[in-house]
Amino acid sequence: MQLRYNFRLHPTPGQRAALARAFGCARVVFNDGLRARQDAREHGLPYICDGELSTRVITDAKKTPERSWLGEVSAVVLQQALADLNKAYRNFFDSITGKRKGPKVAPPRFRSKRDNRQAIRFTKNARFSITAGGRLRLPKIGDVRVRWSRTLPAGPSSVTVVKDAAGRYFASFVVDVAEQPLPPVGPEAGIDLGLTAFAVLSDGRKIDAPRFLRRAEKKLTRLQRALSRKAKRSNNRAKARQKVARRHAQVADARREFHHQLSTRIVRDNQAIYVEDLAVKGLARTRLSKSVHDAGWSSFVGMLEYKAALYGRAFHRVDRWFPSSKRCSACGVVAGSMPLNVRSWRCPCGAAHDRDVNAAKNILTAGRAERLNASHTRGRDGTRRPGGGQVRPPHQVAQPGEAGSLRGAA
């Protein structure tokens, strides 16, 4: 499987200027290609194929006085910018035709120098390399100092240089990593994600929500107030905007570190992990939106999923419509309406439940049954067997409708 490994870069002032030039050239090529296809569509002309577009906006454009400066950067950077445009179009077409599952994908948009994120990509054709002194050698940019926090497990197939909103530079390496199964363990975990407690495990453990954004709100409010008082398009406003971006970056980094440490511990200690398939986008449109974004459930579940695949653990998402909170984990009776302010309840069978712990236990039971159902409906070769039986969880009725370690890639 492929993983990304991110490292902080510290370019010199001259290298910063070269990177800014490369960012700008890649952005111009992307926008020229997008404009050419939009013009062709407006005039009723055929769709411009990838090869013809490359010749028009790169090869021929370099020969004109208006775009002659495109030759000052690596040709691979320009080709990869056009590859991004072609991929964006393919994703858009696959989305509207139904080939691509999930939310609808919007058509490509023009890139701006004021975007929060600027990036260029170098592939092996660009002949980037890591020097003996540990620097990243990039064509027409130079040897950039890298803060190595760990060693790469294999040679990277590409590297993306990113400048974020806080003005920091990163190198993101794509590396092919073989699976590294951990020794088998007995426990399995069902996980109920929440806001009061970030995660509740089926064994009764509760992990408190750190609430990084809430803790940083006071300082962020002060910085944003100072930003609002600066004159537009002034240097002081640019400095104030970067201070806000740096504070947000600190919050995001702390949240990501917390997710990595917790997901590492869960994957190491459990042979199988089951989580509820939450509708995060829907929850983010409610009055709890700030707390939902602060928790970062999607990124945490994504870490669990890829680490489980990398280290030989089982991972399964339970249907979001499964009534995990209202179902008694002892007898299977489903209670009636249960508002969010009800944190504990007693079943008619006599069992007393903590709402979150009960939900985690039900998620564990449902996840085991769904995995068993999937294995029963597939043959030894992995293909689906027609007429395979269906196994339901106990008490369930039909419901409507960083490398070298478990941290892996950032």
Side-chain angles (χ1 to χ4, degrees), residues 230-249:
K230 299 297 186 290
K232 291 186 177 181
R233 305 185 186 281
S234 66
N235 289 336
N236 284 337
R237 185 177 179 85
K239 294 176 184 177
R241 183 173 58 247
Q242 193 168 70
K243 287 182 180 179
V244 174
R246 286 175 179 170
R247 186 57 180 167
H248 275 293

Side-chain angles (χ1 to χ4, degrees), residues 70-387:
L70 291 176
E72 298 177 4
V73 302
S74 171
V76 174
V77 169
L78 307 181
Q79 291 290 349
Q80 291 302 307
L82 212 54
D84 290 340
L85 174 64
N86 297 331
K87 183 178 180 180
Y89 265 110
R90 284 194 296 271
N91 291 339
F92 171 63
F93 292 143
D94 290 345
S95 178
I96 60 178
T97 57
K99 293 182 181 178
R100 181 185 175 93
K101 305 302 181 182
K104 295 297 182 182
V105 177
R109 67 166 184 86
F110 289 101
R111 293 179 175 177
S112 170
K113 65 180 180 181
R114 295 181 178 84
D115 289 342
N116 289 334
R117 182 181 183 273
Q118 303 287 339
I120 52 175
R121 184 167 61 253
F122 297 88
T123 61
K124 287 185 176 180
N125 294 336
R127 296 182 180 178
F128 72 90
S129 61
I130 300 173
T131 66
R135 293 178 178 255
L136 176 61
R137 179 167 294 169
L138 300 174
K140 297 191 177 182
I141 293 177
D143 296 351
V144 185
R145 187 166 71 88
V146 185
R147 185 190 296 176
W148 297 102
S149 56
R150 52 194 185 267
T151 57
L152 292 173
S157 59
S158 69
V159 60
T160 302
V161 179
V162 180
K163 181 184 178 183
D164 66 4
R168 303 178 302 176
Y169 293 84
F170 294 91
S172 178
F173 296 93
V174 176
V175 180
D176 289 313
V177 180
E179 291 187 9
Q180 307 165 19
L182 292 172
V185 293
E188 296 183 354
I191 304 175
D192 178 66
L193 299 175
L195 297 177
T196 305
F198 176 78
V200 179
L201 277 61
S202 52
D203 60 3
R205 286 182 294 165
K206 293 187 177 183
I207 292 92
D208 293 334
R211 300 179 180 178
F212 296 105
L213 181 60
R214 295 287 186 182
R215 288 181 354 203
E217 268 188 326
K218 187 175 181 179
K219 185 173 182 179
L220 275 171
T221 300
R222 187 176 71 252
L223 293 174
Q224 288 169 339
R225 186 182 298 118
L227 172 62
S228 67
R229 292 170 177 168
K230 299 297 186 290
K232 291 186 177 181
R233 305 185 186 281
S234 66
N235 289 336
N236 284 337
R237 185 177 179 85
K239 294 176 184 177
R241 183 173 58 247
Q242 193 168 70
K243 287 182 180 179
V244 174
R246 286 175 179 170
R247 186 57 180 167
H248 275 293
Q250 291 173 0
V251 172
D253 291 344
R255 183 187 298 115
R256 189 181 304 110
E257 180 71 12
F258 167 73
H259 287 167
H260 271 300
Q261 291 181 357
L262 180 58
S263 59
T264 292
R265 190 161 63 247
I266 291 175
V267 170
R268 277 179 175 163
D269 296 344
N270 297 279
Q271 187 64 31
I273 300 102
Y274 307 98
V275 297
E276 190 175 7
D277 186 18
L278 294 173
V280 177
K281 284 189 176 180
L283 292 170
R285 291 194 293 266
T286 66
R287 60 185 178 86
L288 301 173
S289 58
K290 183 180 290 188
S291 297
V292 170
H293 287 304
D294 193 10
W297 292 328
S298 294
S299 61
F300 173 70
V301 173
M303 289 179 188
L304 284 175
E305 187 169 12
Y306 88 75
K307 290 179 183 180
L310 181 62
Y311 296 102
R313 303 306 200 203
F315 177 85
H316 185 77
R317 297 174 189 258
V318 175
D319 183 11
R320 67 184 57 168
W321 300 110
F322 177 68
S324 57
S325 298
K326 299 189 294 183
R327 183 182 298 277
C328 175
S329 57
C331 67
V333 171
V334 179
S337 177
M338 188 175 295
L340 286 176
N341 61 348
V342 178
R343 308 315 303 172
S344 60
W345 57 286
R346 182 175 294 275
C347 180
C349 71
H353 296 296
D354 177 283
R355 179 193 182 106
D356 298 329
V357 175
N358 177 67
K361 291 179 179 179
N362 284 325
I363 289 172
L364 174 62
T365 303
R368 284 172 171 171
E370 289 181 11
R371 279 189 62 209
L372 182 62
N373 179 38
S375 64
H376 274 248
T377 56
R378 294 185 181 276
R380 292 182 180 180
D381 57 353
T383 57
R384 193 171 185 84
R385 297 187 304 187

